[in-house]
Amino acid sequence: GAVVSQHPSRVICKSGTSVKIECRSLDFQATTMFWYRQFPKQSLMLMATSNEGSKATYEQGVEKDKFLINHASLTLSTLTVTSAHPEDSSFYICSATDRGNEKLFFGSGTQLSVL
Amino acid sequence: GESVGLHLPTLSVQEGDNSIINCAYSNSASDYFIWYKQESGKGPQFIIDIRSNMDKRQGQRVTVLLNKTVKHLSLQIAATQPGDSAVYFCAENGAAGNKLTFGGGTRVLVKP
């Protein structure tokens, strides 16, 4: 199956700093990428949808100025958590799909810990 | 709003036995369903999918059953192995734009 690479796998940062998470499709062109957030023992919650070359669409309740998403190429999307606070600590997961394919492929996730 | 939910949060199963994980969905417009397996600290891994024009689909050691009448989805794992221990999520792709809605998850614990 298609491979989605996500980096870093784990990051610890100080409160007030910004953190960038990368999501890459390695062997296919990802026209659409999704970013999810997952708290311990809970399900995945969709944060936003990013389409290559256009602005991301955010789900209700997700602050677009805090969670900056860039999808500048067909193989790369980034999520930047700006001015991170302890409540932003979570597991962030990206997924990607290629044209016309409903099946989503997920990255390995990024565990963010804000001190 | 529409949602996908699970009946059992934790399932303990003896190694070698069969496992059945259930999922209820409420979006009658959903036409594509997927089961994912998530191990601790990792992203979801695709297991099997099924479209609404099918009632059953089989993979390697896994079978997905879809009952559209009662909006119920199940995943059956045959001869459960220790490596099957994980959290299993059902998801439906009824929304526009390939958005997936995930159920709450069921943790499967395989006892040796």
Side-chain angles (χ1 to χ4, degrees):
Chain A
V3 178
V4 176
S5 176
Q6 185 174 342
H7 292 282
S9 59
R10 182 178 295 273
V11 58
I12 301 172
C13 70
K14 294 182 178 180
S15 183
T17 60
S18 295
V19 174
K20 180 183 285 188
I21 303 170
E22 291 188 348
C23 182
R24 295 180 184 272
S25 57
L26 297 187
D27 52 1
F28 68 101
Q29 293 186 328
T31 53
T32 305
M33 287 186 172
F34 302 90
W35 287 95
Y36 294 82
R37 184 174 183 175
Q38 185 179 32
F39 291 106
K41 299 182 180 179
Q42 293 188 21
S43 188
L44 284 73
M45 296 299 296
L46 180 65
M47 298 174 65
T49 303
S50 74
N51 294 296
E52 186 266 337
S54 62
K55 290 184 178 181
T57 303
Y58 290 81
E59 296 299 303
Q60 189 174 5
V62 179
E63 300 175 59
K64 62 180 182 180
D65 293 330
K66 180 166 187 61
F67 299 100
L68 300 178
I69 292 173
N70 183 281
H71 193 162
S73 76
L74 284 171
T75 59
L76 174 64
S77 176
T78 61
L79 167 67
T80 301
V81 183
T82 62
S83 186
H85 289 93
E87 57 265 30
D88 298 324
S89 298
S90 185
F91 193 57
Y92 293 87
I93 311 171
C94 71
S95 69
T97 182
D98 60 5
R99 279 192 191 86
N101 191 350
E102 293 177 288
K103 190 180 296 184
L104 291 186
F105 301 96
F106 284 82
S108 54
T110 297
Q111 181 63 53
L112 171 63
S113 299
V114 184
L115 304 178
Chain B
E2 300 289 2
S3 66
V4 179
L6 294 176
H7 297 302
L8 299 174
T10 304
L11 175 66
S12 292
V13 60
Q14 199 71 36
E15 181 179 356
D17 289 350
N18 297 334
S19 302
I20 299 176
I21 306 166
N22 297 300
C23 178
Y25 66 95
S26 56
N27 187 348
S28 57
S30 297
D31 60 2
Y32 181 57
F33 304 87
I34 312 166
W35 280 100
Y36 285 94
K37 172 187 180 183
Q38 186 180 27
E39 298 176 328
S40 181
K42 297 183 180 180
Q45 176 186 357
F46 173 88
I47 301 175
I48 192 168
D49 57 0
I50 188 169
R51 295 197 175 277
S52 59
N53 61 352
M54 301 174 67
D55 297 323
K56 178 180 179 180
R57 192 170 186 214
Q58 289 183 295
Q60 187 177 8
R61 283 202 306 119
V62 295
T63 301
V64 55
L65 299 177
L66 175 62
N67 186 329
K68 296 178 289 292
T69 302
V70 295
K71 297 177 189 171
H72 185 267
L73 190 70
S74 69
L75 177 69
Q76 300 178 4
I77 304 174
T80 312
Q81 302 170 359
D84 295 327
S85 293
V87 177
Y88 291 81
F89 293 96
C90 64
E92 55 94 6
N93 193 14
N98 278 346
K99 290 184 181 181
L100 285 183
T101 302
F102 282 82
T106 294
R107 180 174 296 280
V108 173
L109 298 176
V110 182
K111 297 177 290 185

